[in-house]
Amino acid sequence: MFETLDDRFAKCRGDRRPERLFDGCRWAEGPVYFPAHRSLVWSDIPNDRMLRWDEETGTVAPFRRPAGYTNGNTLDGQGRLVTCEHGGRRVTRTEHDGSITVIADRHQGRRLNSPNDVVVRSDGSIWFTDPSYGIDSDYEGHRAESEIGGCHVYRVDPVSGRVDLVAGDFEQPNGLAFSLDERFIYIADSERGHIRRFRVGDDGTLSAGDVFARCTKGVFDGIRLDAEGRVWAAAEDGVHCHDPDGTLIGKILFPETVSNLVFGGPKRNRLFVTATTSVYSVLLTVNGAPPHFDRGFAHGLDRSLDRGQGPTTT
Ligand code: MG
């Protein structure tokens, strides 16, 4: 189940076998772990539903159905669910009262294609990719022509809500993740089979963008970092682990094509993996990177919490 390609992988892998938690999906994607609820939520895109696994009981039940052909999910700084929807061709936030707020559905007046994956930076900005998979056919959304005419990466400003195009030279942008210090962002291009690494400017613009890693089996999809900056990426034969220098140091092999992953569990040492029909988990000897908002809080960015005034929306 583990394939070690470099000695540096030895301290990551442990010896525990992956467990299958659920196997009734058509194309599982977008896993997100809720520490407060001790549950995992993910998308089953062709079945137009979201599912939830309860860590305490091991049971799986629908979370939202229909769900708007959701894909990638994450949590924002207030623990709210942020979701990419193919059906509505938008990024939304599920508020604490259960209502849904549209974060982005257009750029310069034209509808997005089908947002795929999303991350939130500690400054509250929301970054997402917009490939065409959800409008290419009726299988994962609704077939349609692209209004934008390209597949780009966008940033939503935390103050104005403006949607800015930050990278326009991708074929099919997909998974994305910030470096631990947020000075870099990793973005997968599934069509080109690689992950690029960009420098993030103070104003949210991107520069550089060199290839960080090339996929050795299939294409890259979702990506997440561990607490030491390694990049764990979904690929055809499993999860590929890259050292921060880009070297592929090892893999966790799965019997189905992997789409995405997230670190969870109370200690963030349990890797949850969505893979075609199934969701798996495996306990590792490394921990997932702390959420960016936790780091922002540690740096005093959200001082309203320090003063006990409750969170503020920025
Ligand atoms: Mg994806």
Side-chain angles (χ1 to χ4, degrees), residues 29 71 116-117 174-175 221-222 259-260:
E29 248 283 9
N71 192 332
N116 188 292
D117 220 338
N174 203 322
D221 198 332
S259 63
N260 216 327

Side-chain angles (χ1 to χ4, degrees), residues 121 123 125 127 155 177-179 181-186 197-208:
R121 203 163 179 242
D123 63 3
S125 57
W127 301 61
R155 171 189 182 271
F178 285 102
S179 65
D181 60 8
E182 298 189 319
R183 289 170 51 225
F184 296 92
I185 187 169
Y186 298 90
R197 191 175 84 138
F198 293 85
R199 180 174 288 279
V200 183
D202 291 339
D203 57 356
T205 58
L206 300 185
S207 57

